[in-house]
Amino acid sequence: MDLELALRVCEAALKQAAREGALISVAVVDAGGHLVTFQRMEGARLAGPVLAPGKAYTSVAHGRPTADLAELARPGGELYGLAGDRFVCFGGGVPLWADYGEGERVMGGVGVSGGTIAQDVACAEAAASVWHTR
Amino acid sequence: MDLELALRVCEAALKQAAREGALISVAVVDAGGHLVTFQRMEGARLAGPVLAPGKAYTSVAHGRPTADLAELARPGGELYGLAGDRFVCFGGGVPLWADYGEGERVMGGVGVSGGTIAQDVACAEAAASVWHTR
Amino acid sequence: MDLELALRVCEAALKQAAREGALISVAVVDAGGHLVTFQRMEGARLAGPVLAPGKAYTSVAHGRPTADLAELARPGGELYGLAGDRFVCFGGGVPLWADYGEGERVMGGVGVSGGTIAQDVACAEAAASVWHTR
Amino acid sequence: MDLELALRVCEAALKQAAREGALISVAVVDAGGHLVTFQRMEGARLAGPVLAPGKAYTSVAHGRPTADLAELARPGGELYGLAGDRFVCFGGGVPLWADYGEGERVMGGVGVSGGTIAQDVACAEAAASVWHTR
């Protein structure tokens, strides 16, 4: 995950946010869940610097979109108790995959926060599509 | 958010608490969520120094009253998992807005803890009304 | 440590700061080290909300001015390793004592941050003198 | 501190890093110390995502370059014990000032990590000069 590609991934999230009329923060992390780039739009909520990197990290750490964790983390769900300060278990985080012949591997993640969950997810998916068509 | 105004915001919360017969802590934070003033009434619970600033910060970070987050953060809600050490997701935190022509901007927040949730909300709203009529 | 007295203690620190030409934050804590009141002057540094309560707490927790801990906490000192995020070991925190016949007891503490260490100490001592002549 | 300006500030740090032959992370924070943008160069150390935002925040919280804190935070220095998880007390963080007539105010900060301290400082100062000539 080099910086140039991460910035393009980021840019796609911001463009989608403009289309959605949402003010967002977006974070891109590498295969270790560590921040590569982060951008917060003017006027976006201060929760963004906490939640966007959190969602990106969580999507890498669990190898799936954070939206999928939402149900699993609820009372009665398989991963009840997971949600907390470390793992952000609601939509807006999406892993970035690569095919390595023998199987897919998580190469990074993108996290978006600031809009509604539907908007955050749409922005994160727009960002991820840049990665997958790189 | 200067100190003098913050003290007046604080005082309004304490007056409302006296009317409610509640013993509260009240915190006022700036646009960055950082404490400007805090006051704890004699006999108010020790949770106040944790929760009042926490509610004030949370209302700034999310740009809405913490009471609104309560529903969203419940199991089945859109933001389940948000509630934790960082964000306090029950009533008593209210953002303080200013109109900047192009739109409203969060200029600070007030958080109240110590009474029932209804009392905390009433105190926080009384405090916020001092700000909005400043 | 009731709120009214704590506010007077606080006010004395702010008056001293005005004399010193310093922009400070001041915190007053009770015998448990928990915040009773906090005030940050317009333009005072953002480290204040962290350090002023930290100094007040530390002075209560160790039963002495934080300035006294500075030497003890240095390499070679008796309490080397004490300084860190929990205990603030430089000047500006002062315990508030009461005489209980059999001996003195710490009833609270005041912490000041924002000026030079000499200014912070002067403000904290001015504040403590209000307590001791209450 | 809008995103566009923050990105230009960031870019200046990266250009200076290229001149220095250093691999860095750079963070720009707003007046509340909250992240606006972050960029990590390919191959830069994993400490960057921790230290660059930490330096930027610290320079805002204390209203001075983190290099100035280095001396003060040493054993025997006035602020010994300040250095820790919260405040990063070595060079590479620089506050961004604005003149408000009555005095200067901290409007944000930039933090750089990854090179030698001298390189980090050079990159942060190059970045800050973009802000001050905006």
Side-chain angles (χ1 to χ4, degrees), chain D residues 6-60:
Chain D
L7 288 170
R8 284 170 47 211
V9 168
C10 219
E11 196 186 356
L14 295 174
K15 275 188 185 160
Q16 184 63 31
R19 278 190 289 269
E20 305 266 348
L23 297 174
I24 64 159
S25 292
V26 54
V28 179
V29 301
D30 63 19
H34 301 291
L35 204 57
V36 177
T37 189
F38 172 89
Q39 297 185 31
R40 175 158 55 101
M41 292 168 76
E42 177 80 2
R45 292 174 183 158
L46 288 186
V50 176
L51 293 179
K55 289 178 183 180
Y57 161 74
T58 303
S59 71
V60 169

Side-chain angles (χ1 to χ4, degrees), chain C residues 33-76:
Chain C
H34 301 291
L35 204 57
V36 178
T37 189
F38 173 89
Q39 296 185 32
R40 174 158 54 102
M41 293 168 75
E42 176 81 359
R45 291 169 184 166
L46 288 187
V50 176
L51 294 177
K55 289 179 183 180
Y57 161 75
T58 303
S59 72
V60 169
H62 292 275
R64 53 183 130 184
T66 55
D68 292 3
L69 292 170
E71 290 210 15
L72 296 168
R74 275 178 207 159

Side-chain angles (χ1 to χ4, degrees), chain D residues 45-113:
Chain D
R45 292 174 183 158
L46 288 186
V50 176
L51 293 179
K55 289 178 183 180
Y57 161 74
T58 303
S59 71
V60 169
H62 291 275
R64 52 182 135 183
T66 55
D68 292 3
L69 292 171
E71 290 210 14
L72 296 167
R74 275 180 206 154
E78 220 176 37
L79 302 179
Y80 173 64
L82 184 70
D85 283 346
R86 189 180 294 266
F87 299 123
V88 180
C89 296
F90 42 88
V94 175
L96 306 173
W97 300 94
D99 196 335
Y100 268 80
E102 303 156 39
E104 289 194 316
R105 197 182 293 188
V106 180
M107 300 303 289
V110 58
V112 174
S113 175

Side-chain angles (χ1 to χ4, degrees), chain A residues 21 38 42-43 49 55-57 62 68 70 74 76 78 91 107 110 120:
Chain A
F38 173 88
E42 176 81 0
K55 289 178 183 180
Y57 162 75
H62 292 275
D68 291 4
R74 276 179 205 157
E78 223 173 34
M107 300 302 288
V110 57
D120 290 352

